[in-house]
Amino acid sequence: DVPLSFDRQKSSIKEQEEEFEGIDVVFDYQGYPKEREFFYQHYLKDAVKEHPLKKDDIGIFLYDLDNDGTKEVLVYLHNLGLCGVKGCLFEIFKSQYTLKDSQKQGYQNLPTGWGVLPERVKILDNSTLGYRDIEIAGSIWKWNGSKYDEFKN
């Protein structure tokens, strides 16, 4: 009887979990050579000797989070020297252009409050203040006008 009641409790908890609609992020560890080179150079200074950074440690996913026609770069660093107990470094970057000639000038890091985390990221269908909401390992993060903050109801 004890295992049966445990199964019922587990089933009941699972039914209460809310499923959010969106796109599961699948980081690419081989493609995007221009972006990969840029971020390799960007993170190289943070790598530790014991765990040298390799280009295929950098997971990249491109998605237009703010619907401006330019894809932001979601970066996940899967390198032991840059990971912690909770996961690895995850950041979002916005492409920067000059107004004069529309040439890419690099990337601006969009501020977040998450730091290191597991590689379970979903871009949600709903938006806050013009940016898509993001689910990370079950927590919802919303744009507050200047950075992504964890949403708590």
Side-chain angles (χ1 to χ4, degrees):
D1 285 310
V2 174
L4 183 58
S5 78
F6 175 75
D7 288 344
R8 282 188 196 150
Q9 182 181 11
K10 187 176 177 183
S11 174
S12 168
I13 292 170
K14 184 129 181 100
E15 289 170 10
Q16 293 174 8
E17 290 178 4
E18 190 173 350
E19 180 67 30
F20 296 98
E21 296 295 319
I23 297 165
D24 289 322
V25 172
V26 178
F27 292 99
D28 183 323
Y29 289 88
Q30 300 298 319
Y32 306 111
K34 290 179 189 175
E35 290 87 352
R36 186 167 309 286
E37 181 61 32
F38 179 89
F39 290 107
Y40 175 73
Q41 295 300 326
H42 176 78
Y43 290 114
L44 198 55
K45 66 185 179 322
D46 297 328
V48 294
K49 274 185 180 179
E50 296 80 19
H51 303 285
L53 182 66
K54 299 181 301 245
K55 289 184 183 177
D56 62 359
D57 289 340
I58 303 168
I60 294 176
F61 187 82
L62 303 180
Y63 194 88
D64 186 1
L65 294 172
D66 60 356
N67 203 27
D68 68 352
T70 302
K71 293 180 179 180
E72 279 67 48
V73 182
L74 289 75
V75 177
Y76 190 83
L77 291 180
H78 202 278
N79 174 282
L80 289 176
L82 299 170
C83 295
V85 175
K86 293 182 178 181
C88 297
L89 184 64
F90 170 58
E91 296 185 296
I92 300 175
F93 293 86
K94 185 163 189 59
S95 294
Q96 297 298 291
Y97 293 88
T98 60
L99 296 174
K100 182 179 173 187
D101 57 5
S102 297
Q103 293 296 312
K104 196 178 285 190
Q105 297 297 307
Y107 298 90
Q108 173 191 359
N109 189 330
L110 294 180
T112 63
W114 52 61
V116 296
L117 45 90
E119 194 175 342
R120 295 190 324 264
V121 178
K122 183 185 251 185
I123 298 170
L124 302 179
D125 289 344
N126 49 322
S127 299
T128 303
L129 299 175
Y131 278 81
R132 298 285 288 271
D133 296 345
I134 298 174
E135 179 185 3
I136 302 170
S139 296
I140 305 300
W141 295 77
K142 297 181 178 234
W143 186 251
N144 72 8
S146 59
K147 74 175 199 163
Y148 272 98
D149 271 331
E150 187 172 9
F151 177 71
K152 299 180 186 196
N153 32 344

